[in-house]
Amino acid sequence: MKALTFTGGTHPSEYKELTEDKPFELMPLPEKVLLPTSQHIGKPARLSVKKKSEVKTGQVIAEQDGFISSIIHSSVNGTVKNIGIQANVSGFPREAIEITVDGNGEELCLMEAMNPDKVTPDEIRQRVKEAGIVGQGGAAFPTYVKLTPPEGAKIDCVILNGAECEPYLTRDYRFMLERTEAVIGGLNLIMKALGVKKGAAGIEDNKPKAIEKMTKMAENYPEIDVYQLKTKYPQGAEKMLIKAILGREVPPGKLPLDVGVVIQNIGTAVAVYDAVVKGIPETTAALTVSGGAVKEPKNLIVPVGTPINDVIEFCGGFSEDVAKVVVGGPMMGVAQYDFTAPVMKATSGILALTKSELNKVEETNCVSCGKCVEACALNVLPTTVVKMIKEGRLEEADKLGIMTCMECGTCTYVCPANIPLVQWIRLGKHRVAAFNRAKQENN
């Protein structure tokens, strides 16, 4: 099987050996959970409980508020202690429901199980909505919205992202090994909801066991094919997956939908399968805890809302030389300043990194080597864009395509001058957006 790929990108050290052979462990219940009302792109969920309310695992505690929003369920049995602004793994404090845990959590509020062979597309969409499922690839887009395309949209393929190209993370890999039937079965349900006859799963070639198991399971589903992808970052990005597997290019400013494709994550497929076939709402998060500064790296199933502190403690705690804690992968994750922040639905990893892993060195002047340009998978000119931002030439930065950047961090990784290019671009996008809003208001 030829390994498919895209132009550009890089191959950072993988560090997956720390956890790739470690099966999922179920983490014990914490003493409390913090459940943000915004664990998704879109409008925060609307509270449906009050302080001192008693709740059960799987009970709805915040309702969907608007089309792009998502239901929040309690991940534990307990009592609502407080509702207010709390630390958040996004880096920005958010409203959250604090629940004191009471009991062992066995009284899960299940929904009615459905027959995957007889369930209708409308029933799948409704169940995904009721289960509060959000995309597990990082953006946390409400999944039922992706399964409800605009009228007239012509979708002919669903691609499952099994690349897991971020270093350290092995959550999706373990899902493909341990819950292969749920992964492929979930993809089949997503295809059925969209009325699509072609399904694909793309997996990087550094995961041969996953490719073998997924290929064998897909033999039971004639409309699903498994594709081997070259191990390269950011192979798991939507536009890169589509280019590698289908040869289609998503134009700047457009979505996969515009070229007839819907992308879903491995974890999302498992959540859809569990919601439809088992009636389980999204109350847990699967994540990798890794890095040189955590004593016992693991793959875990954790109640949503569990504080980072509790997760690290379950993994033996920090070693003395912890230099940075990141939620997500090292390339696109968010550095943490408050370890009381909770695990959310789409949290894929917690990394405790040492100074040597950070490899932090001083920034020097650009040497015009062009490595960032060669590595950019979206053909942006990182150094030129950053120069425009530094000089306040926002219109020019906009014309150069700054808003199309997906902030993957490849340019920063390959830069020999150690210029924080992606950080400048991230800041620049905010400045350009504010500039464009002001211009529209003045017209």
Side-chain angles (χ1 to χ4, degrees), residues 184-197:
I184 296 294
L187 172 56
N188 187 59
L189 287 166
I190 291 166
M191 292 164 58
K192 190 170 184 178
L194 291 165
V196 171
K197 298 298 183 183

Side-chain angles (χ1 to χ4, degrees), residues 62-93:
E63 301 277 359
Q64 174 193 345
D65 191 8
F67 181 61
I68 302 182
S69 184
S70 185
I71 291 171
I72 308 294
H73 301 80
S74 177
S75 58
V76 295
N77 294 344
T79 304
V80 177
K81 181 180 179 181
N82 189 33
I83 298 172
I85 303 301
Q86 301 278 2
N88 191 286
V89 294
S90 68
F92 300 94

